[in-house]
Amino acid sequence: MKPFFVIFLVFFAVSGAQAQVYDLPLDSLSEWTGEKSIRVVSNIDGLNADTEFLALLGRLKIKGFDVKFGGSGSADEGLTLEVLQVSDKIAVSIKSTDSQRYLLSVLIDEGDQSGAELREEVNFRGVLPLPADFNPKMVEALPVSDREDGELVFLSDSTLVLGAFDGNRIKRVDTLTSNIKNSKAIFLSVGQSDSDPNPEIAVVWGQDRDISGKGQYTKIYSQIFEISEKKLQEETKKSENIALRFINNRLHTQRYELLQGDIGKVEFASRKGGDVRDDSIVLSNVEKMIFSVFPIDSATSIVVNEENLEVRDPSWESWPRLDLGKVSSPRLTKRLEDREITTSPDYAFSVNEEHLSIPRKVVVNNGSVLTYLRKRRSGFSGLAPASGSDMLIRARWDNSELESGFTVFPMYELSSFIIDFSYVKSKGESRLLILTNEEDDSQGASQIYIY
Protein backbone atom coordinates (compact mmCIF):
# COMPACT_ATOMS: atom_id res chain seq x y z
CA MET A 1 0.00 0.00 0.00
CA LYS A 2 2.79 2.42 0.81
CA PRO A 3 4.39 2.50 -2.72
CA PHE A 4 0.98 3.14 -4.22
CA PHE A 5 0.49 6.05 -1.83
CA VAL A 6 3.84 7.64 -2.84
CA ILE A 7 3.06 7.33 -6.55
CA PHE A 8 -0.32 8.92 -5.98
CA LEU A 9 1.28 11.95 -4.24
CA VAL A 10 3.85 12.43 -7.02
CA PHE A 11 1.15 12.28 -9.66
CA PHE A 12 -0.97 14.79 -7.81
CA ALA A 13 1.95 17.22 -7.43
CA VAL A 14 2.63 17.20 -11.19
CA SER A 15 -1.05 17.48 -11.83
CA GLY A 16 -1.34 20.57 -9.65
CA ALA A 17 1.51 22.31 -11.48
CA GLN A 18 0.11 21.52 -14.90
CA ALA A 19 -3.37 22.61 -13.88
CA GLN A 20 -2.24 26.21 -14.16
CA VAL A 21 -1.22 25.65 -17.79
CA TYR A 22 -4.72 24.85 -19.08
CA ASP A 23 -6.80 26.71 -16.52
CA LEU A 24 -8.11 29.00 -19.24
CA PRO A 25 -11.01 31.48 -19.06
CA LEU A 26 -13.82 30.10 -21.21
CA ASP A 27 -16.41 32.83 -20.77
CA SER A 28 -16.04 33.95 -24.39
CA LEU A 29 -17.46 30.61 -25.58
CA SER A 30 -20.90 31.85 -24.57
CA GLU A 31 -20.75 34.13 -27.64
CA TRP A 32 -20.67 31.12 -29.99
CA THR A 33 -24.03 30.32 -31.57
CA GLY A 34 -22.87 27.81 -34.17
CA GLU A 35 -22.48 24.04 -33.97
CA LYS A 36 -21.21 23.07 -30.52
CA SER A 37 -18.39 20.82 -31.67
CA ILE A 38 -14.64 21.30 -31.21
CA ARG A 39 -11.76 19.67 -33.07
CA VAL A 40 -8.42 19.54 -31.24
CA VAL A 41 -5.34 20.25 -33.37
CA SER A 42 -1.88 20.12 -31.80
CA ASN A 43 1.82 19.53 -32.46
CA ILE A 44 2.45 18.39 -28.86
CA ASP A 45 3.05 14.66 -28.48
CA GLY A 46 0.97 12.88 -25.88
CA LEU A 47 -1.48 15.73 -25.39
CA ASN A 48 -4.41 13.32 -25.54
CA ALA A 49 -2.93 11.57 -22.47
CA ASP A 50 -2.23 14.73 -20.46
CA THR A 51 -4.59 14.53 -17.49
CA GLU A 52 -4.78 18.30 -17.01
CA PHE A 53 -5.48 18.93 -20.66
CA LEU A 54 -8.21 16.31 -20.46
CA ALA A 55 -9.58 18.29 -17.51
CA LEU A 56 -9.85 21.29 -19.84
CA LEU A 57 -11.76 19.12 -22.31
CA GLY A 58 -14.02 18.08 -19.44
CA ARG A 59 -14.83 21.74 -18.79
CA LEU A 60 -15.67 22.14 -22.47
CA LYS A 61 -17.98 19.12 -22.33
CA ILE A 62 -19.75 20.63 -19.33
CA LYS A 63 -20.41 23.69 -21.50
CA GLY A 64 -22.11 21.39 -23.99
CA PHE A 65 -19.35 20.98 -26.59
CA ASP A 66 -18.62 17.69 -28.36
CA VAL A 67 -14.80 17.51 -28.34
CA LYS A 68 -12.80 15.27 -30.69
CA PHE A 69 -9.13 14.95 -31.58
CA GLY A 70 -7.66 15.43 -35.04
CA GLY A 71 -9.74 15.07 -38.17
CA SER A 72 -12.62 13.22 -36.57
CA GLY A 73 -14.63 16.41 -36.02
CA SER A 74 -16.64 18.46 -38.47
CA ALA A 75 -14.48 20.05 -41.15
CA ASP A 76 -16.86 22.89 -42.00
CA GLU A 77 -18.68 23.91 -38.86
CA GLY A 78 -18.02 24.29 -35.17
CA LEU A 79 -14.76 25.34 -33.51
CA THR A 80 -11.10 24.37 -33.52
CA LEU A 81 -9.01 24.16 -30.35
CA GLU A 82 -5.41 24.71 -31.43
CA VAL A 83 -2.60 23.88 -28.99
CA LEU A 84 0.86 24.55 -30.43
CA GLN A 85 4.35 24.39 -28.95
CA VAL A 86 6.18 27.59 -29.96
CA SER A 87 9.73 27.72 -28.53
CA ASP A 88 9.26 27.78 -24.74
CA LYS A 89 5.61 28.79 -24.93
CA ILE A 90 2.32 27.11 -25.65
CA ALA A 91 -0.06 28.98 -27.94
CA VAL A 92 -3.69 28.10 -27.28
CA SER A 93 -6.58 29.39 -29.36
CA ILE A 94 -10.22 28.53 -29.82
CA LYS A 95 -11.51 29.75 -33.16
CA SER A 96 -14.12 29.04 -35.78
CA THR A 97 -13.14 26.24 -38.13
CA ASP A 98 -12.73 28.72 -40.99
CA SER A 99 -10.37 30.80 -38.77
CA GLN A 100 -12.51 33.91 -39.25
CA ARG A 101 -13.47 34.26 -35.59
CA TYR A 102 -11.26 33.88 -32.50
CA LEU A 103 -12.99 33.31 -29.15
CA LEU A 104 -9.78 32.73 -27.18
CA SER A 105 -6.13 33.39 -28.00
CA VAL A 106 -3.43 33.15 -25.32
CA LEU A 107 0.27 32.45 -24.93
CA ILE A 108 1.35 30.38 -21.92
CA ASP A 109 4.92 30.80 -20.69
CA GLU A 110 6.15 27.35 -19.64
CA GLY A 111 9.11 28.91 -17.87
CA ASP A 112 6.83 30.51 -15.29
CA GLN A 113 3.88 28.21 -14.84
CA SER A 114 3.57 28.99 -11.14
CA GLY A 115 2.16 32.41 -11.97
CA ALA A 116 -0.38 30.94 -14.38
CA GLU A 117 0.33 33.90 -16.66
CA LEU A 118 -2.08 34.16 -19.56
CA ARG A 119 -1.31 36.81 -22.16
CA GLU A 120 -3.42 37.81 -25.10
CA GLU A 121 -1.89 37.26 -28.50
CA VAL A 122 -0.40 40.58 -29.62
CA ASN A 123 -1.68 40.35 -33.19
CA PHE A 124 -5.34 39.79 -32.34
CA ARG A 125 -7.40 38.34 -35.15
CA GLY A 126 -11.09 38.14 -34.67
CA VAL A 127 -14.51 39.68 -35.16
CA LEU A 128 -15.83 42.75 -33.37
CA PRO A 129 -19.61 43.24 -33.40
CA LEU A 130 -20.79 46.82 -33.79
CA PRO A 131 -23.70 48.31 -31.82
CA ALA A 132 -27.18 47.46 -33.10
CA ASP A 133 -27.90 51.12 -33.84
CA PHE A 134 -24.71 51.51 -35.93
CA ASN A 135 -24.89 50.38 -39.58
CA PRO A 136 -22.00 52.03 -41.44
CA LYS A 137 -21.71 51.64 -45.20
CA MET A 138 -18.10 52.81 -45.55
CA VAL A 139 -14.91 53.05 -43.50
CA GLU A 140 -11.63 54.91 -44.01
CA ALA A 141 -8.55 55.15 -41.80
CA LEU A 142 -7.15 58.60 -41.10
CA PRO A 143 -3.50 59.36 -41.88
CA VAL A 144 -1.29 58.96 -38.81
CA SER A 145 1.47 61.60 -39.25
CA ASP A 146 1.80 63.27 -35.83
CA ARG A 147 -1.67 62.25 -34.69
CA GLU A 148 -2.75 59.26 -32.68
CA ASP A 149 -2.92 56.05 -34.67
CA GLY A 150 -6.02 53.88 -34.87
CA GLU A 151 -8.34 56.71 -35.96
CA LEU A 152 -11.18 55.83 -38.34
CA VAL A 153 -14.18 57.47 -39.90
CA PHE A 154 -17.40 55.63 -40.74
CA LEU A 155 -20.16 56.83 -43.07
CA SER A 156 -23.73 55.62 -42.75
CA ASP A 157 -26.87 56.75 -44.54
CA SER A 158 -27.43 59.55 -42.04
CA THR A 159 -24.26 60.01 -39.95
CA LEU A 160 -20.52 60.56 -40.11
CA VAL A 161 -18.74 58.91 -37.17
CA LEU A 162 -15.21 59.42 -35.86
CA GLY A 163 -13.98 56.18 -34.32
CA ALA A 164 -10.93 54.82 -32.54
CA PHE A 165 -9.37 51.34 -32.79
CA ASP A 166 -7.05 50.32 -29.95
CA GLY A 167 -6.13 46.84 -31.19
CA ASN A 168 -9.06 44.85 -29.89
CA ARG A 169 -12.09 47.15 -29.88
CA ILE A 170 -13.67 50.05 -31.75
CA LYS A 171 -15.39 52.92 -30.03
CA ARG A 172 -17.32 55.92 -31.32
CA VAL A 173 -15.65 59.24 -30.45
CA ASP A 174 -17.85 61.82 -32.19
CA THR A 175 -20.87 61.84 -34.52
CA LEU A 176 -22.44 64.32 -36.95
CA THR A 177 -25.75 63.84 -38.76
CA SER A 178 -26.42 64.66 -42.40
CA ASN A 179 -29.62 66.69 -41.73
CA ILE A 180 -30.79 65.61 -45.18
CA LYS A 181 -34.18 63.95 -45.28
CA ASN A 182 -33.92 60.28 -46.33
CA SER A 183 -30.22 60.65 -47.14
CA LYS A 184 -28.08 57.70 -48.19
CA ALA A 185 -24.31 57.22 -48.09
CA ILE A 186 -22.62 57.56 -51.49
CA PHE A 187 -18.86 58.03 -50.99
CA LEU A 188 -16.24 58.68 -48.31
CA SER A 189 -12.62 59.81 -48.74
CA VAL A 190 -9.92 61.44 -46.61
CA GLY A 191 -7.10 63.82 -47.46
CA GLN A 192 -5.56 67.22 -46.84
CA SER A 193 -6.35 70.26 -48.98
CA ASP A 194 -5.07 73.09 -46.76
CA SER A 195 -1.97 73.94 -44.76
CA ASP A 196 -3.10 72.99 -41.25
CA PRO A 197 -2.25 69.54 -39.83
CA ASN A 198 -5.85 68.42 -39.33
CA PRO A 199 -7.08 65.66 -41.66
CA GLU A 200 -10.13 66.36 -43.80
CA ILE A 201 -13.01 64.16 -44.82
CA ALA A 202 -14.98 64.51 -48.05
CA VAL A 203 -18.50 63.11 -47.70
CA VAL A 204 -21.05 62.56 -50.45
CA TRP A 205 -24.67 61.88 -49.55
CA GLY A 206 -27.56 61.33 -51.94
CA GLN A 207 -31.30 61.87 -51.79
CA ASP A 208 -33.63 60.07 -54.19
CA ARG A 209 -36.38 62.26 -55.61
CA ASP A 210 -39.43 61.58 -57.76
CA ILE A 211 -40.55 64.44 -60.01
CA SER A 212 -43.99 63.96 -61.54
CA GLY A 213 -43.69 63.55 -65.28
CA LYS A 214 -39.90 63.65 -65.23
CA GLY A 215 -39.05 60.39 -63.51
CA GLN A 216 -36.69 59.83 -60.62
CA TYR A 217 -33.25 61.25 -60.00
CA THR A 218 -30.72 61.43 -57.15
CA LYS A 219 -29.80 64.76 -55.65
CA ILE A 220 -26.12 64.90 -54.68
CA TYR A 221 -24.85 66.70 -51.56
CA SER A 222 -21.15 67.02 -50.71
CA GLN A 223 -19.40 68.46 -47.70
CA ILE A 224 -15.91 68.65 -46.20
CA PHE A 225 -15.34 68.02 -42.50
CA GLU A 226 -12.19 68.51 -40.43
CA ILE A 227 -11.03 66.64 -37.35
CA SER A 228 -9.73 68.90 -34.60
CA GLU A 229 -9.06 67.73 -31.04
CA LYS A 230 -11.04 64.52 -31.56
CA LYS A 231 -14.06 66.43 -32.83
CA LEU A 232 -15.75 66.47 -36.21
CA GLN A 233 -16.18 70.01 -37.48
CA GLU A 234 -17.82 71.37 -40.62
CA GLU A 235 -15.23 73.01 -42.83
CA THR A 236 -17.58 73.80 -45.73
CA LYS A 237 -21.30 74.05 -46.16
CA LYS A 238 -23.16 71.44 -48.20
CA SER A 239 -22.71 71.72 -51.96
CA GLU A 240 -25.53 70.59 -54.22
CA ASN A 241 -24.99 68.78 -57.54
CA ILE A 242 -21.24 68.53 -56.86
CA ALA A 243 -19.39 65.38 -55.81
CA LEU A 244 -16.13 65.80 -53.88
CA ARG A 245 -13.39 63.22 -53.53
CA PHE A 246 -9.79 63.13 -52.38
CA ILE A 247 -7.61 61.31 -54.92
CA ASN A 248 -3.96 60.87 -53.93
CA ASN A 249 -4.50 63.50 -51.21
CA ARG A 250 -5.80 66.07 -53.70
CA LEU A 251 -9.38 67.28 -53.80
CA HIS A 252 -11.31 66.67 -57.02
CA THR A 253 -14.83 67.62 -58.08
CA GLN A 254 -17.42 66.47 -60.57
CA ARG A 255 -20.80 67.96 -61.45
CA TYR A 256 -23.89 65.72 -61.05
CA GLU A 257 -27.05 67.45 -62.25
CA LEU A 258 -28.93 64.18 -62.54
CA LEU A 259 -32.33 65.82 -62.99
CA GLN A 260 -30.90 67.10 -66.26
CA GLY A 261 -29.12 63.81 -66.94
CA ASP A 262 -25.76 65.59 -66.84
CA ILE A 263 -22.46 64.34 -65.39
CA GLY A 264 -19.45 66.60 -65.85
CA LYS A 265 -15.80 65.69 -66.16
CA VAL A 266 -13.53 65.11 -63.19
CA GLU A 267 -11.55 68.22 -62.29
CA PHE A 268 -8.99 69.31 -59.73
CA ALA A 269 -10.24 71.86 -57.18
CA SER A 270 -7.99 74.47 -55.58
CA ARG A 271 -9.39 75.43 -52.18
CA LYS A 272 -7.53 78.74 -51.80
CA GLY A 273 -8.16 80.57 -55.06
CA GLY A 274 -11.35 78.74 -55.93
CA ASP A 275 -10.08 78.04 -59.42
CA VAL A 276 -10.80 74.75 -61.16
CA ARG A 277 -8.60 73.28 -63.85
CA ASP A 278 -8.24 70.02 -65.71
CA ASP A 279 -6.05 67.47 -63.97
CA SER A 280 -4.35 64.97 -66.27
CA ILE A 281 -3.88 62.41 -63.50
CA VAL A 282 -7.50 61.35 -63.95
CA LEU A 283 -9.06 60.30 -67.24
CA SER A 284 -11.71 62.96 -67.82
CA ASN A 285 -14.16 61.09 -70.04
CA VAL A 286 -17.62 62.46 -69.14
CA GLU A 287 -19.01 58.93 -68.93
CA LYS A 288 -16.80 58.10 -65.96
CA MET A 289 -17.93 58.86 -62.43
CA ILE A 290 -15.53 60.44 -59.97
CA PHE A 291 -16.13 57.35 -57.78
CA SER A 292 -14.88 54.93 -60.47
CA VAL A 293 -11.32 56.08 -61.21
CA PHE A 294 -8.26 55.03 -59.16
CA PRO A 295 -5.05 56.53 -60.62
CA ILE A 296 -1.83 54.55 -60.86
CA ASP A 297 0.32 57.27 -62.42
CA SER A 298 -0.15 60.35 -64.62
CA ALA A 299 -1.36 58.25 -67.56
CA THR A 300 -2.70 54.98 -66.18
CA SER A 301 -5.75 54.33 -64.03
CA ILE A 302 -7.86 51.52 -62.68
CA VAL A 303 -11.48 52.07 -63.74
CA VAL A 304 -13.97 50.10 -61.66
CA ASN A 305 -17.48 49.28 -62.87
CA GLU A 306 -20.33 47.40 -61.23
CA GLU A 307 -19.14 44.02 -62.53
CA ASN A 308 -15.47 44.44 -63.48
CA LEU A 309 -12.37 46.60 -63.43
CA GLU A 310 -9.85 47.53 -66.11
CA VAL A 311 -6.35 48.96 -66.29
CA ARG A 312 -6.62 51.83 -68.74
CA ASP A 313 -3.86 53.68 -70.53
CA PRO A 314 -4.41 55.68 -73.74
CA SER A 315 -1.18 54.29 -75.22
CA TRP A 316 -2.23 50.63 -74.95
CA GLU A 317 -4.07 48.81 -77.68
CA SER A 318 -5.97 46.62 -75.24
CA TRP A 319 -6.87 46.91 -71.57
CA PRO A 320 -6.66 43.96 -69.18
CA ARG A 321 -10.01 43.34 -67.51
CA LEU A 322 -10.90 41.49 -64.32
CA ASP A 323 -14.48 40.23 -63.98
CA LEU A 324 -15.71 40.62 -60.41
CA GLY A 325 -19.43 39.82 -60.57
CA LYS A 326 -22.16 42.22 -59.46
CA VAL A 327 -22.24 43.79 -56.02
CA SER A 328 -25.30 45.44 -54.55
CA SER A 329 -24.13 48.96 -53.71
CA PRO A 330 -25.46 52.51 -53.44
CA ARG A 331 -27.01 53.65 -56.69
CA LEU A 332 -27.56 57.02 -58.30
CA THR A 333 -30.64 57.51 -60.45
CA LYS A 334 -30.04 59.62 -63.55
CA ARG A 335 -32.97 60.98 -65.59
CA LEU A 336 -32.75 60.23 -69.30
CA GLU A 337 -32.92 63.24 -71.59
CA ASP A 338 -34.95 61.23 -74.10
CA ARG A 339 -37.52 58.78 -72.77
CA GLU A 340 -37.29 55.24 -74.07
CA ILE A 341 -40.61 53.62 -75.03
CA THR A 342 -40.68 49.87 -74.43
CA THR A 343 -43.50 47.85 -75.93
CA SER A 344 -44.78 44.31 -75.51
CA PRO A 345 -47.82 42.45 -76.81
CA ASP A 346 -49.72 43.45 -73.69
CA TYR A 347 -48.70 47.05 -72.96
CA ALA A 348 -46.25 49.87 -73.56
CA PHE A 349 -44.35 51.89 -70.97
CA SER A 350 -41.67 54.55 -70.88
CA VAL A 351 -38.27 54.38 -69.20
CA ASN A 352 -37.40 57.77 -67.74
CA GLU A 353 -34.18 57.02 -65.87
CA GLU A 354 -31.18 54.77 -65.55
CA HIS A 355 -29.25 53.60 -62.48
CA LEU A 356 -25.55 54.26 -61.90
CA SER A 357 -23.98 51.94 -59.33
CA ILE A 358 -21.24 53.19 -57.02
CA PRO A 359 -18.37 50.70 -57.52
CA ARG A 360 -16.90 48.58 -54.75
CA LYS A 361 -13.76 49.66 -52.90
CA VAL A 362 -10.39 48.92 -54.46
CA VAL A 363 -6.92 49.71 -53.15
CA VAL A 364 -4.25 50.11 -55.85
CA ASN A 365 -0.68 49.47 -54.79
CA ASN A 366 2.51 48.47 -56.58
CA GLY A 367 1.03 46.68 -59.57
CA SER A 368 -1.79 45.02 -57.70
CA VAL A 369 -5.37 45.66 -56.69
CA LEU A 370 -7.03 44.71 -53.40
CA THR A 371 -10.79 44.24 -53.64
CA TYR A 372 -13.49 41.65 -52.97
CA LEU A 373 -15.76 39.18 -54.74
CA ARG A 374 -19.40 38.64 -53.83
CA LYS A 375 -19.57 34.86 -53.38
CA ARG A 376 -22.12 34.88 -50.57
CA ARG A 377 -25.78 34.35 -51.49
CA SER A 378 -28.68 36.12 -49.84
CA GLY A 379 -31.22 34.03 -47.96
CA PHE A 380 -34.95 33.80 -48.46
CA SER A 381 -36.93 35.41 -45.69
CA GLY A 382 -38.38 32.74 -43.43
CA LEU A 383 -37.21 29.94 -45.72
CA ALA A 384 -33.41 29.78 -45.85
CA PRO A 385 -30.51 31.76 -44.37
CA ALA A 386 -27.72 33.39 -46.35
CA SER A 387 -24.99 30.96 -47.41
CA GLY A 388 -21.50 30.91 -48.86
CA SER A 389 -18.57 33.24 -48.23
CA ASP A 390 -17.42 36.54 -49.70
CA MET A 391 -13.76 36.67 -50.65
CA LEU A 392 -11.14 39.38 -50.29
CA ILE A 393 -8.62 39.06 -53.12
CA ARG A 394 -5.40 40.58 -54.40
CA ALA A 395 -5.08 40.72 -58.19
CA ARG A 396 -1.94 41.56 -60.17
CA TRP A 397 -1.49 42.56 -63.80
CA ASP A 398 1.59 42.26 -65.99
CA ASN A 399 2.45 45.41 -67.94
CA SER A 400 4.75 43.47 -70.27
CA GLU A 401 2.11 40.89 -71.22
CA LEU A 402 -1.23 42.66 -71.15
CA GLU A 403 -3.01 39.84 -72.95
CA SER A 404 -2.36 37.64 -69.92
CA GLY A 405 -4.76 39.81 -67.93
CA PHE A 406 -4.89 39.48 -64.13
CA THR A 407 -3.58 36.86 -61.75
CA VAL A 408 -5.86 36.52 -58.73
CA PHE A 409 -4.63 35.57 -55.24
CA PRO A 410 -7.41 34.77 -52.71
CA MET A 411 -6.72 36.24 -49.26
CA TYR A 412 -9.66 35.73 -46.88
CA GLU A 413 -13.06 34.08 -47.08
CA LEU A 414 -15.68 35.57 -44.77
CA SER A 415 -19.05 34.06 -43.93
CA SER A 416 -20.64 37.49 -44.19
CA PHE A 417 -21.26 40.18 -46.81
CA ILE A 418 -18.20 42.40 -47.30
CA ILE A 419 -19.25 46.05 -47.39
CA ASP A 420 -15.94 47.93 -47.22
CA PHE A 421 -12.39 47.65 -45.86
CA SER A 422 -9.43 49.79 -44.87
CA TYR A 423 -5.90 49.48 -43.49
CA VAL A 424 -5.34 51.26 -40.18
CA LYS A 425 -2.23 51.81 -38.05
CA SER A 426 -2.60 50.45 -34.53
CA LYS A 427 0.26 50.30 -32.04
CA GLY A 428 2.77 50.67 -34.84
CA GLU A 429 1.32 47.85 -36.94
CA SER A 430 -0.79 48.00 -40.07
CA ARG A 431 -4.07 46.14 -39.52
CA LEU A 432 -6.70 45.27 -42.08
CA LEU A 433 -10.26 46.02 -40.97
CA ILE A 434 -13.07 44.54 -43.08
CA LEU A 435 -16.55 45.98 -42.60
CA THR A 436 -19.24 43.33 -43.08
CA ASN A 437 -22.97 42.94 -42.61
CA GLU A 438 -25.32 40.00 -42.30
CA GLU A 439 -27.35 41.48 -45.20
CA ASP A 440 -25.98 42.51 -48.59
CA ASP A 441 -27.86 45.83 -48.39
CA SER A 442 -26.25 46.68 -45.01
CA GLN A 443 -29.60 46.59 -43.22
CA GLY A 444 -28.59 43.77 -40.85
CA ALA A 445 -26.06 43.57 -38.02
CA SER A 446 -22.59 44.97 -38.78
CA GLN A 447 -19.27 43.43 -37.79
CA ILE A 448 -15.57 44.25 -38.21
CA TYR A 449 -13.13 41.46 -39.12
CA ILE A 450 -9.55 42.20 -38.02
CA TYR A 451 -6.34 40.82 -39.58
Side-chain angles (χ1 to χ4, degrees):
M1 295 294 295
K2 188 173 182 178
F4 174 81
F5 183 68
V6 172
I7 293 173
F8 179 79
L9 286 180
V10 171
F11 169 78
F12 211 75
V14 174
S15 171
Q18 290 294 323
Q20 296 174 340
V21 175
Y22 298 112
D23 185 17
L24 307 179
L26 301 178
D27 294 343
S28 59
L29 293 181
S30 61
E31 302 173 8
W32 180 248
T33 58
E35 182 178 326
K36 302 197 76 171
S37 64
I38 295 181
R39 288 189 307 130
V40 180
V41 177
S42 178
N43 63 355
I44 300 176
D45 293 335
L47 187 65
N48 59 348
D50 187 320
T51 306
E52 296 310 319
F53 180 73
L54 295 178
L56 170 63
L57 302 190
R59 293 171 60 202
L60 293 172
K61 287 182 178 292
I62 291 174
K63 288 184 173 289
F65 287 90
D66 179 24
V67 185
K68 298 179 181 179
F69 277 87
S72 58
S74 170
D76 300 317
E77 300 177 353
L79 300 173
T80 297
L81 169 58
E82 195 172 63
V83 186
L84 302 177
Q85 185 78 42
V86 183
S87 300
D88 60 344
K89 298 179 178 62
I90 298 176
V92 181
S93 63
I94 299 179
K95 58 186 180 180
S96 61
T97 301
D98 59 8
S99 299
Q100 302 304 326
R101 182 174 183 183
Y102 280 68
L103 299 176
L104 173 70
S105 184
V106 299
L107 281 175
I108 302 170
D109 192 342
E110 289 188 298
D112 186 17
Q113 294 176 5
S114 60
E117 181 184 6
L118 301 180
R119 293 182 291 157
E120 287 192 26
E121 190 176 30
V122 175
N123 191 24
F124 172 81
R125 292 188 296 167
V127 185
L128 299 181
L130 296 178
D133 62 340
F134 188 35
N135 292 97
K137 300 289 184 68
M138 298 157 197
V139 58
E140 287 287 347
L142 295 175
V144 177
S145 62
D146 296 330
R147 299 175 56 83
E148 296 181 11
D149 59 6
E151 289 184 306
L152 300 159
V153 283
F154 296 91
L155 185 66
S156 72
D157 283 338
S158 59
T159 60
L160 175 67
V161 175
L162 174 63
F165 172 62
D166 64 5
N168 56 18
R169 69 188 182 106
I170 292 174
K171 64 178 180 179
R172 286 180 283 189
V173 177
D174 195 20
T175 301
L176 290 179
T177 60
S178 72
N179 295 323
I180 302 169
K181 184 179 180 180
N182 298 325
S183 60
K184 64 180 182 180
I186 300 297
F187 207 82
L188 174 68
S189 59
V190 299
Q192 189 75 51
S193 62
D194 54 23
S195 58
D196 68 40
N198 297 327
E200 296 170 320
I201 307 161
V203 173
V204 183
W205 275 300
Q207 181 190 54
D208 291 332
R209 296 186 175 187
D210 192 349
I211 305 299
S212 177
K214 295 184 178 180
Q216 293 182 336
Y217 76 102
T218 302
K219 186 81 169 180
I220 289 292
Y221 297 88
S222 292
Q223 192 167 9
I224 294 180
F225 300 89
E226 183 181 79
I227 298 176
S228 178
E229 297 180 353
K230 297 185 179 182
K231 291 288 185 181
L232 291 167
Q233 299 179 350
E234 293 185 354
E235 184 162 322
T236 67
K237 299 298 183 181
K238 292 184 179 69
S239 299
E240 297 185 10
N241 299 326
I242 293 291
L244 299 176
R245 179 187 166 195
F246 284 103
I247 301 176
N248 292 346
N249 209 37
R250 303 174 74 183
L251 187 64
H252 292 71
T253 71
Q254 188 174 35
R255 186 178 65 257
Y256 279 79
E257 295 182 70
L258 299 179
L259 175 61
Q260 306 302 323
D262 178 48
I263 299 179
K265 62 183 178 181
V266 178
E267 298 175 318
F268 172 72
S270 173
R271 294 288 307 284
K272 291 183 178 179
D275 61 313
V276 176
R277 62 177 176 79
D278 291 348
D279 188 5
S280 60
I281 196 171
V282 176
L283 303 178
S284 57
N285 187 322
V286 294
E287 296 179 355
K288 297 185 182 69
M289 296 190 294
I290 193 173
F291 317 113
S292 302
V293 185
F294 297 82
I296 300 170
D297 52 41
S298 61
T300 313
S301 297
I302 296 287
V303 176
V304 187
N305 300 305
E306 185 179 9
E307 299 184 53
N308 55 61
L309 61 82
E310 292 180 333
V311 183
R312 295 190 182 179
D313 188 306
S315 65
W316 297 349
E317 294 182 0
S318 63
W319 295 327
R321 169 179 288 194
L322 176 63
D323 292 325
L324 300 172
K326 280 191 175 183
V327 165
S328 176
S329 58
R331 298 195 302 178
L332 304 177
T333 304
K334 170 186 172 183
R335 191 179 74 87
L336 296 176
E337 295 181 3
D338 298 316
R339 292 188 302 173
E340 299 179 1
I341 307 299
T342 301
T343 61
S344 71
D346 299 321
Y347 58 89
F349 63 93
S350 64
V351 177
N352 296 328
E353 64 272 331
E354 64 178 332
H355 296 292
L356 308 173
S357 293
I358 306 302
R360 76 199 74 195
K361 165 75 73 64
V362 303
V363 172
V364 181
N365 182 33
N366 225 3
S368 69
V369 173
L370 187 69
T371 188
Y372 62 91
L373 304 179
R374 175 71 82 239
K375 296 293 187 179
R376 189 165 175 80
R377 297 175 296 277
S378 299
F380 297 95
S381 179
L383 298 175
S387 60
S389 300
D390 274 6
M391 180 180 295
L392 196 77
I393 64 167
R394 185 178 298 279
R396 296 191 63 85
W397 69 90
D398 188 347
N399 287 341
S400 62
E401 298 181 16
L402 295 179
E403 65 277 4
S404 64
F406 285 84
T407 302
V408 177
F409 304 92
M411 295 179 64
Y412 304 111
E413 287 191 32
L414 282 69
S415 297
S416 191
F417 291 101
I418 297 177
I419 305 301
D420 201 2
F421 60 90
S422 182
Y423 281 99
V424 61
K425 284 285 187 180
S426 175
K427 300 178 181 179
E429 294 184 327
S430 182
R431 308 296 300 275
L432 175 63
L433 304 187
I434 306 176
L435 175 63
T436 72
N437 198 283
E438 64 181 9
E439 304 291 344
D440 59 354
D441 59 3
S442 297
Q443 297 305 310
S446 296
Q447 292 178 319
I448 292 283
Y449 285 75
I450 304 171
Y451 296 95

